[in-house]
């Protein structure tokens, strides 16, 4: 009996937010082929339209078969979960569904990381597909390891505790697939990725072929101590017309990057200490450069706040990235030092993190191991204004401080 009030409260609360572009009445609702569920969908959609007639109504649907047509007919935008490379075992469903129902407006409401190319080409090629929502933007706690070990999940996956499928990790840092999407979405994008000599985590030989929430095992690192002379696989994600790869100034060749190779060029490179550099070209003109450099042992702690000034309202936050850098200021991607934190002034540490999906460390204690050479500390203001001093320490390195002004 509360459904009207609940829906009305949601719409009235959020309808003035410019980031709201559609209203969804559900995700993968059971029984979408049944007449009673179709009637409920129509009832919900009609009520939302009377409350906010300016935005379309959608719903995210999986098991994409023609028996869902009556359900889709109640929506303004048909939400397709895994239209590209999904468990229907077809490359894409957009074109064939458009042929059957020409007036249907579609959107990808969930898509696999591993199918990023096909999912976005479905938007580029088809004017009736208005966009693609990926699963998922930010990584999260739960559905542990679907982005590595995949389905079916088992109890012996412990200590995995993060899904590890986000384009952005739980600390807010971009992961490799996010850089790949840059190449799909924008001009003159370039990034270099290296397949580790050994898998980053234990592999799951029983991962199901339809379980595609993972990305390739790659790292933005050219620091592989002990693997000198070993040939490593290098991938360059690029929206430039051509890419040339250099190792310590020596060209390893120029290759095209375009739709035919899914905006990715590959090299096999014998590892040696130094600089791996990719140069992107448009015609004969150099348009961008990306580099990976070998890092030395960490000797310093670098603290960087996303917001150096926050409000003294007892709620505002500053997210401080902690990096373990070598003498040249390069982050050492192998550093896993335990970093401890303390504060002075009108603020407190409310959380720490490092995005390691198998770490069992506390999110609330004032210390955290680095992972890939960095971790995160989050500081919250008090009700009193003034400078907040945060100090980071780890054995063998000089401590570092940063000041956040609470006003």
């Amino acid at each position: 009996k509360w459904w009207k009030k609940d829906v009305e409260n949601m719409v009235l609360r959020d309808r003035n937010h410019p980031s709201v572009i559609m209203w969804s009445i559900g995700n993968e609702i059971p029984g979408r082929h049944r007449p009673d569920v179709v009637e409920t969908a129509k009832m919900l959609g009609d009520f939302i339209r009377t409350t906010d007639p300016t935005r379309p109504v959608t719903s995210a649907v999986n098991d994409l078969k023609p028996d869902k047509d009556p359900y889709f007919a109640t929506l303004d935008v048909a939400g397709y979960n895994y239209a590209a490379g999904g468990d229907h075992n077809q490359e894409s469903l957009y074109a064939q569904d458009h042929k059957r129902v020409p007036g249907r407006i579609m959107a990808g409401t969930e898509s696999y990381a591993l199918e990023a190319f096909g999912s976005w080409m479905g938007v580029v090629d088809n004017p009736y597909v208005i966009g693609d929502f990926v699963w998922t933007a930010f990584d999260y706690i739960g559905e542990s390891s679907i982005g590595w070990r995949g389905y079916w999940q088992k109890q012996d996956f412990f200590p995995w505790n993060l899904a590890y499928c986000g384009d952005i990790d739980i600390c807010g840092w971009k992961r490799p697939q996010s850089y790949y999407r840059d190449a799909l979405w924008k001009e003159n994008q370039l990034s270099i990725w290296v397949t580790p000599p050994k898998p980053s985590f234990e592999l799951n030989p029983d991962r199901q072929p339809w379980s595609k929430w993972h990305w390739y095992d790659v790292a933005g690192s050219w620091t592989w101590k002990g693997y000198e002379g070993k040939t490593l696989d290098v991938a360059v994600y690029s929206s430039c017309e051509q890419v040339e790869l250099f190792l310590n100034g020596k060209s390893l060749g120029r290759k095209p990057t375009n739709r035919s190779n899914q905006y990715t060029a590959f090299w096999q490179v014998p590892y040696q200490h130094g600089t791996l550099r990719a140069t992107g070209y448009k015609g004969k003109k150099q348009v961008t450069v990306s580099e990976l450099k070998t890092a030395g042992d960490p000797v310093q702690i670098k603290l960087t706040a996303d917001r150096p000034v926050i409000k003294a309202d007892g709620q505002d936050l500053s997210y401080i990235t902690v990096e373990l850098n070598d003498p040249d200021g390069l982050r050492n991607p192998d550093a896993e030092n335990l970093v401890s934190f303390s504060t002075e002034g009108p603020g407190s540490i409310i959380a720490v993190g490092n995005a390691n999906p198998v770490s069992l460390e506390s999110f609330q204690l004032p210390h955290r191991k680095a992972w890939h050479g960095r971790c995160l500390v989050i500081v919250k203001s008090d009700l009193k204004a003034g400078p907040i001093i945060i100090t980071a320490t780890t054995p063998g390195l000089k401590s570092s401080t940063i000041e956040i002004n609470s006003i």
Side-chain angles (χ1 to χ4, degrees), residues 2-218:
W2 287 99
W3 74 267
K4 278 190 176 182
K5 189 63 177 174
D6 289 343
V7 171
E8 182 181 49
N9 286 345
M10 177 186 73
V11 174
L12 293 180
R13 181 193 65 195
D14 295 333
R15 65 182 178 180
N16 287 323
H17 285 272
S19 59
V20 177
I21 61 171
M22 292 186 284
W23 299 109
S24 175
I25 59 171
N27 177 59
E28 300 185 354
I29 302 299
R32 294 171 303 281
H33 61 287
R34 299 200 324 251
D36 60 320
V37 176
V38 172
E39 181 64 27
T40 299
K42 183 178 185 304
M43 180 176 64
L44 288 168
D46 288 346
F47 181 72
I48 289 174
R49 294 182 191 97
T50 63
T51 310
D52 179 8
T54 69
R55 292 183 179 90
V57 174
T58 189
S59 179
V61 175
N62 65 333
D63 191 26
L64 296 163
K65 298 174 182 176
D67 64 356
K68 309 305 185 302
D69 285 352
Y71 185 88
F72 275 139
T74 70
L75 308 172
D76 303 308
V77 176
Y80 277 56
N81 283 6
Y82 309 106
D87 55 9
H88 44 74
N89 296 317
Q90 300 178 68
E91 184 176 338
S92 179
L93 295 179
Y94 289 135
Q96 68 183 58
D97 279 16
H98 175 68
K99 185 176 181 179
R100 190 179 71 252
V101 191
R104 180 180 293 171
I105 299 172
M106 310 174 195
T109 39
E110 288 185 24
S111 64
Y112 296 117
L114 212 58
E115 297 287 349
F117 175 79
S119 297
W120 189 244
M121 292 305 103
V123 178
V124 171
D125 293 342
N126 303 306
Y128 47 84
V129 182
I130 63 173
D132 177 53
F133 290 91
V134 307
W135 192 267
T136 185
F138 262 89
D139 203 14
Y140 53 96
I141 300 171
E143 291 192 299
S144 301
S145 82
I146 67 166
W148 182 269
R149 307 205 75 183
Y151 278 94
W152 299 101
Q153 291 181 295
K154 300 177 181 178
Q155 289 184 340
D156 65 4
F157 285 7
F158 182 84
W160 280 86
N161 55 81
L162 301 183
Y164 203 57
C165 62
D167 277 27
I168 300 170
D169 66 28
I170 63 165
C171 292
W173 302 317
K174 286 163 66 80
R175 296 183 62 223
Q177 58 262 50
S178 180
Y179 289 92
Y180 179 69
R181 291 190 207 278
D182 286 344
L184 294 180
W185 292 343
K186 299 183 286 186
E187 292 184 346
N188 301 332
Q189 301 299 301
L190 195 63
S191 59
I192 309 172
W193 303 94
V194 181
T195 301
K198 296 191 297 186
S200 297
F201 302 99
E202 181 183 357
L203 300 174
N204 177 16
D206 298 323
R207 184 172 62 198
Q208 298 299 300
W210 51 264
S211 182
K212 302 178 186 179
W213 288 276
H214 57 286
W215 188 248
Y216 304 101
D217 186 12
V218 293

